[in-house]
Amino acid sequence: MRSKVRAGIVGVGVGIPEPVLTNHDLEQRIDTSDEWIVTRTGIRERRVAPPDVATSDLAAQAAHQALQNAGRGAEEVDLIVVATATPDMPWPSTACLVQAKIGAVRAAAFDLNAVCSGFVYALWMAAQAVETGAYRCVLVIGADILSRQVNWEDRSTCVLFGDGAGAVVLAPVEEPYGVLSGVLGADGTGAPLLNVPAGGTREPLSPEVIACKRHTIHMRGREVFKFAVTIMGEVSVQALEKAGIAPEEVNLFIPHQANIRIIQAAAERLNLPMERVFVNVDRYGNTSAASIPIAVYEAWEQGRLKKGDLVVVVGFGAGLTWGACVIRWAY
Ligand code: UT7
């Protein structure tokens, strides 16, 4: 009997802008301190894309590297999903721009917006598409340039975010490898806690809107924090139960990199020592949909992901949204 076909990650890549903005740089601009930022968030520096770089540029770079690592050509890709909340333009989708940039001539392409949970949403949706046999080579990309949506005068938000992109290639793999389970969730009543209020159809851009900075990120930090510490652990446990895996079997936990305190709380909920938790929030800050695939790439590059390892990826974000996937690493 043939074993079940699952979707597995067979290549990873990143697109990270070079310019670094440190906490000390921010001390020169706003009333903050390296000590406050490090103790409250764990962030030491973040990357900020230069003005001529757009989301599709970082996404295409990540896609190109992921395809190279997978040993696949762009013409083999049959679907591109870009998880982003900061597209190059309202439309067409950033995924279409990436498709043209990398020459993926056979691929369908669309964007998915679940903000910081976007990569996990896209991964789980794309995994279903591969498992059914409908698609055989899917690029799942998380890419965001939140520095363009930040209010650089608001110290409670501007210290948190950074720019970047990460990509994975999903293709059929045989059991026991691949994406074993996924759980996604949303609670739209929490939309006011974290949003960019203007620039859409509710409050189109106008000089007044821009003067009031309503086209920038607005966040009720403490409430988002409370939500995050609970949901990250809970959704991870749900995804593990669905996969029939005990938390102690997890080799590497790769959470959304928003805040070290949130990551530690989630690890505690799963009873996982921090040695089995991947952390790079200190170097990138919160890169939204890019944070998990960048972390996955770095974990793989550092040799912390080996064939057969059990991995949990888990995210939360505006929406509110959340999601987790359990993966048995395939290469
Ligand atoms: O992907 C989802 C994205 N969002 C998040 O993950 C955010 C989740 N929330 C958090 O990570 C935390 O709530 C923050 C890091 C945003 C804030 O930490 P906190 O421990 O919840 O601090 P707070 O908001 O309660 O503020 C404490 C104090 C306030 O001063 P007062 O009112 O106590 O005098 C703030 O004005 O810290 C002040 N403060 C700052 N001080 C120096 C806020 N931002 C800064 C800053 N530098 N950058």
Side-chain angles (χ1 to χ4, degrees):
M1 202 177 81
R2 266 181 66 84
S3 60
K4 183 177 159 60
V5 169
R6 289 194 193 279
I9 293 176
V10 298
V12 289
V14 286
I16 294 171
E18 274 176 26
V20 174
L21 182 70
T22 66
N23 292 348
H24 296 293
D25 296 331
L26 284 167
E27 283 175 348
Q28 312 302 314
R29 295 192 190 183
I30 50 168
D31 179 17
T32 191
S33 67
D34 175 58
E35 199 258 330
W36 190 95
I37 302 171
V38 172
T39 50
R40 300 288 175 129
T41 72
I43 301 166
R44 293 181 186 277
E45 59 184 44
R46 68 288 291 141
R47 302 299 180 94
V48 175
D52 61 337
V53 170
T55 303
S56 69
D57 299 319
L58 299 179
Q61 201 182 326
H64 185 72
Q65 190 181 20
L67 285 171
Q68 244 178 1
N69 278 335
R72 312 242 168 170
E75 67 292 343
E76 291 176 64
V77 177
D78 46 21
L79 180 65
I80 301 173
V81 187
V82 175
T84 186
T86 51
D88 284 26
M89 53 189 92
W91 49 269
S93 70
T94 300
C96 284
L97 305 176
V98 171
Q99 188 239 23
K101 281 200 166 91
I102 65 171
V105 288
R106 287 182 47 243
F110 69 94
D111 287 359
L112 179 157
N113 183 352
V115 201
C116 296
S117 312
F119 179 79
V120 180
Y121 262 67
L123 181 68
W124 182 234
M125 290 295 102
Q128 316 299 300
V130 171
E131 267 196 27
T132 62
Y135 293 91
R136 298 191 57 81
C137 183
V138 183
L139 265 172
V140 180
I141 307 171
D144 269 308
I145 298 191
L146 281 185
S147 64
R148 305 263 157 86
Q149 287 185 341
V150 155
N151 174 358
W152 287 102
E153 288 159 17
D154 176 8
R155 68 175 185 171
S156 69
T157 53
C158 77
V159 302
L160 303 175
F161 299 104
D163 303 336
V168 302
V169 178
L170 269 192
V173 295
E174 299 226 322
E175 278 190 313
Y177 304 106
V179 181
L180 308 183
S181 71
V183 175
L184 306 177
D187 174 9
T189 65
L193 299 185
L194 178 54
N195 60 20
V196 174
T201 54
R202 176 70 59 197
E203 284 186 53
L205 283 184
S206 67
E208 295 74 33
V209 155
I210 292 171
C212 300
K213 306 250 188 234
R214 289 185 59 76
H215 61 305
T216 64
I217 296 171
H218 285 56
M219 182 175 76
R220 305 218 298 254
R222 238 176 273 183
E223 288 161 78
V224 175
F225 187 92
K226 274 190 215 148
F227 152 72
V229 291
T230 313
I231 204 69
M232 290 265 273
E234 247 172 47
V235 72
S236 302
V237 167
Q238 287 166 9
L240 283 164
E241 275 170 4
K242 202 171 159 189
I245 307 278
E248 56 271 22
E249 292 177 71
V250 173
N251 297 98
L252 195 62
F253 182 64
I254 307 185
H256 172 45
Q257 307 286 313
N259 183 319
I260 188 68
R261 289 152 59 212
I262 296 172
I263 293 172
Q264 284 163 341
E268 251 168 56
R269 168 76 177 82
L270 297 175
N271 230 344
L272 279 178
M274 284 306 281
E275 301 85 73
R276 280 196 262 159
V277 179
F278 192 84
V279 176
N280 65 4
V281 68
D282 50 323
R283 288 180 293 118
Y284 298 115
N286 179 348
T287 56
S288 188
S291 101
I292 291 173
I294 292 174
V296 169
Y297 172 84
E298 291 199 336
W300 169 80
E301 198 197 22
Q302 293 167 16
R304 292 184 66 182
L305 286 175
K306 298 193 186 59
K307 190 166 180 174
D309 277 358
L310 282 166
V311 182
V312 173
V313 292
V314 55
F316 70 93
L320 300 168
T321 54
W322 57 90
C325 288
V326 179
I327 303 163
R328 195 181 288 277
W329 196 252
Y331 82 109

